[in-house]
Amino acid sequence: MKPLIGVSCAWSVETWSSDESQDGYLYVGKEYVDAVLDSGGVPFVLPIVSNEEILKAVAMDIVSVIDGLLLSGGGSVVGMPSKPTRPTLIEQQPIRYQFEKELLLHAREKGMPIFGICRGCQMIAEVFGGKMNYSCFLQGHRQKEPGDRPTHSIKIMDNTKARQVVQVDSMMVNSFHVQCIDFVPEGFVASGISDDGVIEMIESTVDPFVWGTQFHPEEMRLSSELAKRIIDFFIKKAQTYKQSR
């Protein structure tokens, strides 16, 4: 059987300034779902749990069922502030943050493959002990072009799993983020860095597979073989995990 991949989502109450509904909508970009399918996995969208009393128990139940965890990006800030500093991840989407944090902690404890994209990459960095840079809005990393079009290059660092997977020393990527990682957690390395020094890819050196990309490989998978390789590798690791359970 194919590996079951849990895909996190956003909650419109936290992200749509025009959503006045108390309940709102749970949503995720279709590209995440399609990317999992294209690489041989079965996507399962994980609804956000807002009830603190059952949050941990539900997160544990979810992790006991899935074979891989994909933390999606997306979800802009309600009422984007005009001040120069950026709201923190937990300030941007507090309910989603707590839910994804519990998923991350339980998934890592089990040795489950974890892949974070854009915001998901930042969650991995912050939850596991790294630090985000919220001091300003990052310039030059929010493209106007469609996601399947790469706009800048990143260097793939030597002696990393990423280098083994993509088998090149640099690759072109897309870019849609306005905040960045200051430093990675202990036991992680920055495996991809842009020409202006921004950390674009991270990976754990102590876990079977915990990766994050600031760029969106799911949107580039049809136009970039290298982006497709990254997603393929994640699903392959999830399949291995499934077979070992």
Side-chain angles (χ1 to χ4, degrees):
M1 295 179 63
K2 296 180 179 180
L4 183 64
I5 308 300
V7 183
S8 71
C9 64
W11 185 26
S12 64
V13 170
E14 294 186 319
T15 59
W16 297 353
S17 58
S18 61
D19 187 2
E20 299 179 356
S21 167
Q22 185 175 1
D23 296 323
Y25 302 89
L26 298 172
Y27 67 96
V28 67
K30 188 172 181 292
E31 293 282 6
Y32 295 101
V33 171
D34 289 345
V36 170
L37 287 168
D38 289 350
S39 292
V42 176
F44 183 78
V45 178
L46 305 176
I48 294 174
V49 176
S50 57
N51 186 333
E52 293 184 3
E53 294 182 359
I54 63 172
L55 176 60
K56 290 187 178 181
V58 172
M60 290 179 67
D61 286 342
I62 289 172
V63 170
S64 70
V65 173
I66 61 176
D67 305 304
L69 176 62
L70 173 56
L71 292 190
S72 65
S76 59
V77 184
V78 174
M80 181 71 75
S82 58
K83 62 181 182 180
T85 56
R86 175 82 173 174
T88 65
L89 289 172
I90 194 169
E91 289 173 338
Q92 292 171 34
Q93 299 177 61
I95 304 300
R96 179 182 183 181
Y97 186 99
Q98 295 297 345
F99 180 58
E100 290 186 342
K101 179 180 178 180
E102 290 298 328
L103 291 173
L104 279 172
L105 294 175
H106 292 303
R108 191 184 193 191
E109 184 178 11
K110 284 184 169 292
M112 177 180 296
I114 301 171
F115 185 33
I117 295 176
C118 199
R119 185 185 187 282
C121 175
Q122 297 168 9
M123 283 292 297
I124 290 172
E126 186 165 285
V127 169
F128 293 143
K131 182 181 178 183
M132 291 294 300
N133 183 350
Y134 297 115
S135 63
C136 63
F137 283 76
L138 182 66
Q139 301 299 313
H141 283 262
R142 190 171 181 84
Q143 70 186 52
K144 296 181 180 179
E145 295 83 356
D148 62 345
R149 300 181 189 176
T151 56
H152 72 87
S153 176
I154 66 171
K155 180 180 180 181
I156 309 300
M157 309 307 291
D158 292 332
N159 303 315
T160 61
K161 293 178 183 177
R163 182 67 173 268
Q164 296 174 14
V165 170
V166 299
Q167 299 181 352
V168 294
D169 58 10
S170 66
M171 66 180 288
M172 294 294 295
V173 301
N174 54 22
S175 194
F176 293 99
H177 58 109
V178 294
Q179 58 194 26
C180 61
I181 298 170
D182 197 2
F183 61 81
V184 300
E186 182 178 354
F188 282 73
V189 295
S191 51
I193 301 177
S194 65
D195 293 340
D196 58 355
V198 174
I199 297 174
E200 291 280 348
M201 188 185 307
I202 64 174
E203 65 182 53
S204 171
T205 60
V206 296
D207 298 283
F209 183 94
V210 182
W211 279 25
T213 61
Q214 279 286 183
F215 58 94
H216 287 259
E218 83 285 0
E219 295 194 21
M220 296 174 53
R221 71 190 191 285
L222 299 180
S223 59
S224 168
E225 178 187 350
L226 301 182
K228 181 66 162 52
R229 287 181 189 175
I230 294 172
I231 301 172
D232 286 347
F233 189 60
F234 166 54
I235 300 301
K236 179 181 178 181
K237 287 292 186 179
Q239 181 66 57
T240 299
Y241 176 82
K242 179 180 181 66
Q243 294 172 345
S244 68
R245 296 177 70 171

